[in-house]
Structures are given as C-alpha cells and as structure tokens.
Amino acid sequence: MIGAYWAMIIRGIFCVILYGVQATLGGNAVRCMLEAIWPSFAHWHLNSLPASADISAPDLLCFALFWLASFPMLFVPMSSLRWVFAVKIAIMPFFYVALFTWALTAGHGVGPLFSIPTKITSGWSVGYVFCSTILATIGGNATFAVNMADITRYAKNPRSAAIAQAFALPICITMTIMAATAQVVYGEVLWNPLTIILLWNNRTAKFFAGFLFAFATIATNVTGNSIPFAHDIMGIFPRYMNVRRGQVLCAILGFAMNPWVIQARASRFFNFVGGYSIFLGPLVGIILCDYFFIRKSKPYNMLHLYRAEGLYWYWKGCNLRALSAWLTGVIPLLPGLIHNINPNIKMGRGIVEFFTMGWLEGLIIAAITYYLLCLAFPFSIVVNDGSDVVIEAKDEESVSQIPATGKPVDIVGSKEI
C-alpha cells in the first residue's frame, strides 16, 4: 500500500492541473455568454494586462466567475450528482449534433473540409504527424484512464460504463470537424471550439452554446478531477483530509497554478499534456496487465486491499515489480521530455520521435516489463472471495487457504519480493 502513494501523487498533480485547464475552458464559455448579452464586453479593459500574462482582463474575469460558479458543486455528494449527469446525457448529444451540423454547413459540406492541403513545415511525415497528434489527444485524457474507477464504481455493472463512454466518441470527431471548419471559414486553424463560438454573429446561439459548454465542463471538472484528487490526498493524509477538503484544495490549487498559461497556445498545451502523459501511460499499462493478464480478471479481495500485511502488502508495502516496470517505461522517455521542456537542449530526431509517441510506448514497455517480472517473481492471486479466501501461487504448483481477517501464509513455490 505504501507503494501506491507514488501513483497517487502522480495522478493527483495531473488532476489539479487539469482542473485548472478545464476551468479556463469554462471561463471561455462564460465569456461566450457575456459577449452574447453585452457585445461591448469583448473590448472591456482588453489591453489592461501585459502580453506576458497570457490572459486578457475579460478572460480572467470569466475564469474567476466560472471558478466561483463551480465551487458550490464541490460540496454536493457524488450520489446526489446523478441528476446533473442525467440532464447532461439528455441534452449534450443533441448539442454536439448541432455543432456537427453547423460545421458541415459553414464549411460547405464534407468536400472542402477534407480537401484542405496538408501543410507540415517541420519535416515530419504525414503519418508520423497524424499518429503523434492522435496520441497527444489521448495523452490529454490519460488522467481519465486512471480516474475512471472513482466514477464507474457507481455504475450498476461494467457494461453500463462502457456504453456511456462509447457515446462520447463522436465528440472527438465533432471537435476535429470544427477545427477544419475554422480554417475554411475564418482562414486559420482554431483548436478551441469556444474560440470559434466567440466569432459567431448569432448572439442567441453564442449564449446557449457557451451555457451548455459551461454546464458540461462543471460536471466533468467536479467528478473527473476534483473527486479523484480528493481520494488521493485523503489516502495520503487520512488524518487531516476528507473528500470535501480534498476537493476544495484541488480547486484552490487549480486557480493558483495560473492554468491559462498552459492553455494559451495549442502547441504549449499539447507539449504539456504529451510531456506529463509519459508518467501516466506506464501506470495504465501496469494496471491493465495486472488485471487482465496476471490475475486473469479475477476479483481483488476488498478486505486485504486496506490491510497492512495483507495479500497486497508485497515487500514492505511496495510492489517492486510494478515500481520497476513503471521506471522502465518512464526512463527511456525522459531525454525527450527534457527537449520538450527546453528545445534549446538538442536531442536526436529518434529521441524526439520516440517521446512524441510516449504515452503508448510507455504503456507497452511497462506492461511487458511487469508481465515478465511477474513470471520471474510470481505472487499469490485471489481465486474467490468469501469468509475464507482461497489463493494460489502464480506458478499454480500449490494452493492454500487463509482467513479473510488473518495474515497470508507463505505460499509454496512463490517468490515474494
């Protein structure tokens, strides 16, 4: 269990950062609403802040308003937020269909959108840029791959969560079409859909689009970022933190980190999420490998998950196999991360290309390493859960029983590290 602290810290940091970035996007949505009501707001103290601030006075005010509007939602229990998601599920699909329809109409059909010539000035191939962009998008959502259990545990069954996520896939397509539409209609690629909405002349459409984006962002931010962070910080400091305190701390840190600096430019944003995702990809790989390939989808014993000297105590509370696999997945990507942070530090092209695909490569390397380490150093696996827990050695040479309330016995044939 002690080894889990490192994973909690990694995930918690990214949750705070994404909370701030999502709040910045929510601030953009608030600006859409305010400009729809008062068009003069677009010029309100526009140049009162220096360019180095990476944010204008209207955007800063809108960010603060969105942050304040989100704050009361932190005190609503997760079980009481069902109505929020019920409304979101009922409304948002139609909204995204409307955005998709607008994109096709404004772009004069599919033809002009997909006939835009490829313009790559960096010397990379089209295939490489395409794959790296897809992986950068995945990296931006990497935190949800490890945060998912905080939300899906409220689902009736695993299939319910899978079906709900399948409906979210068209959203990615919609955002891509909107970026292409912006290039056709406005002459430049605008990756942020709210920036495109700000250019609309229809004030009614601008207001409701901003309102729906703000509503969806609040729901996503509270459940997808603040609650997972609260669980992590509560696990690290159980004596001082609870879920509410953790959520409030996440919101405060998300404001204090000046998230608009990350979100100011698309290149900076994707560089950041691509850089941080190299720490999350190996975590996902280890989780997937452990559950599907090592434990063969067998259930974990809930009692022993939270007990010192239990089944999952491993070596002094740390699973050295998982830690070694995580380091193996991260270390090869660090030179590329250094170049990503400071381009003046020159690295070979191969290192840069390897880093660009870092989330997927880290996941694969860590998963394979963890699997091989588990073969070399097998450990006990839960077969069934009950008053007595039957466990078996990884090499399946012996089977023993231990009480659910007791300490695991030594397993013949297993090599515990």
Side-chain angles (χ1 to χ4, degrees):
M1 289 187 292
I2 296 176
Y5 291 164
W6 178 238
M8 291 179 183
I9 293 172
I10 294 173
R11 190 180 80 154
I13 292 174
F14 203 37
C15 285
V16 169
I17 295 172
L18 278 189
Y19 187 95
V21 171
Q22 290 283 343
T24 305
L25 295 174
N28 297 154
V30 172
R31 180 167 182 173
C32 290
M33 290 188 285
L34 293 181
E35 286 194 16
I37 300 173
W38 300 289
S40 60
F41 182 75
H43 308 287
W44 180 78
H45 293 284
L46 190 59
N47 298 318
S48 59
L49 295 178
S52 59
D54 285 321
I55 191 171
S56 64
D59 286 330
L60 183 59
L61 175 62
C62 293
F63 172 83
L65 291 175
F66 179 85
W67 188 89
L68 290 173
S70 304
F71 198 78
M73 297 294 293
L74 303 178
F75 298 92
V76 180
M78 182 65 190
S79 57
S80 301
L81 289 174
R82 292 179 180 271
W83 67 270
V84 176
F85 290 98
V87 174
K88 182 179 178 182
I89 292 173
I91 296 177
M92 296 309 293
F94 296 100
F95 173 58
Y96 290 124
V97 169
L99 286 180
F100 187 82
T101 303
W102 171 84
L104 292 180
T105 303
H108 305 291
V110 178
L113 297 180
F114 290 98
S115 62
I116 299 173
T118 302
K119 297 179 181 179
I120 301 175
T121 59
S122 58
W124 310 112
S125 65
V126 175
Y128 170 79
V129 173
F130 177 82
C131 293
S132 63
T133 305
I134 294 296
L135 289 175
T137 304
I138 294 175
N141 295 281
T143 180
F144 296 111
V146 292
N147 293 354
M148 199 177 299
D150 294 274
I151 311 302
T152 55
R153 66 191 182 95
Y154 293 96
K156 293 182 178 179
N157 54 66
R159 180 171 296 181
S160 299
I163 294 174
Q165 293 175 62
F167 279 105
L169 292 177
I171 297 175
C172 301
I173 301 175
T174 302
M175 299 301 106
T176 304
I177 293 295
M178 287 193 70
T181 300
Q183 187 171 356
V184 172
V185 178
Y186 303 110
E188 59 179 325
V189 178
L190 301 173
W191 69 278
N192 186 349
L194 289 164
T195 304
I196 300 174
I197 293 173
L198 280 172
L199 299 175
W200 289 359
N201 295 321
N202 190 317
R203 293 168 60 184
T204 303
K206 182 186 295 186
F207 175 84
F208 282 105
F211 175 80
L212 291 175
F213 261 112
F215 171 74
T217 304
I218 288 177
T220 300
N221 222 10
V222 171
T223 57
N225 293 317
S226 70
I227 289 179
F229 173 84
H231 289 167
D232 289 338
I233 200 70
M234 186 172 59
I236 298 174
F237 304 107
R239 179 176 298 180
Y240 307 103
M241 302 299 296
N242 56 28
V243 174
R244 296 295 162 262
R245 293 174 183 174
Q247 288 184 272
V248 171
L249 179 61
C250 180
I252 294 174
L253 294 177
F255 194 118
M257 58 163 288
N258 297 343
W260 50 83
V261 176
I262 299 174
Q263 196 256 347
R265 289 190 291 272
S267 59
R268 182 186 297 171
F269 177 76
F270 284 112
N271 285 340
F272 162 74
V273 296
Y276 201 90
S277 65
I278 70 169
F279 300 104
L280 296 175
L283 279 180
V284 177
I286 293 170
I287 293 172
L288 294 176
C289 180
D290 183 78
Y291 184 74
F292 289 106
F293 296 102
I294 302 301
R295 304 182 189 275
K296 310 296 184 184
S297 302
K298 296 172 183 176
Y300 294 96
N301 182 271
M302 299 303 295
L303 293 175
H304 283 272
L305 277 175
Y306 304 99
R307 176 176 292 122
E309 305 295 336
L311 284 170
Y312 310 109
W313 188 248
Y314 301 108
W315 181 80
K316 297 183 179 181
C318 181
N319 186 350
L320 296 183
R321 308 168 191 81
L323 179 60
S324 301
W326 183 82
L327 290 173
T328 304
V330 170
I331 290 176
L333 299 167
L334 291 180
L337 176 63
I338 294 173
H339 173 77
N340 190 50
I341 295 173
N342 186 0
N344 294 325
I345 301 177
K346 301 300 181 182
M347 296 288 178
R349 179 165 178 166
I351 293 177
V352 177
E353 290 182 348
F354 186 73
F355 167 78
T356 306
M357 308 287 184
W359 184 86
L360 180 61
E361 290 163 342
L363 184 152
I364 294 174
I365 293 173
I368 294 175
T369 303
Y370 183 71
Y371 185 80
L372 294 177
L373 287 174
C374 289
L375 290 180
F377 305 98
F379 57 87
S380 305
I381 300 175
V382 175
V383 176
N384 69 291
D385 205 348
S387 58
D388 287 331
V389 181
V390 181
I391 59 177
E392 64 177 4
K394 182 64 185 71
D395 54 16
E396 299 182 356
E397 291 181 358
S398 62
V399 176
S400 301
Q401 283 192 347
I402 61 171
T405 57
K407 179 179 178 180
V409 297
D410 293 333
I411 306 300
V412 178
S414 68
K415 303 174 183 178
E416 197 65 47
I417 64 170

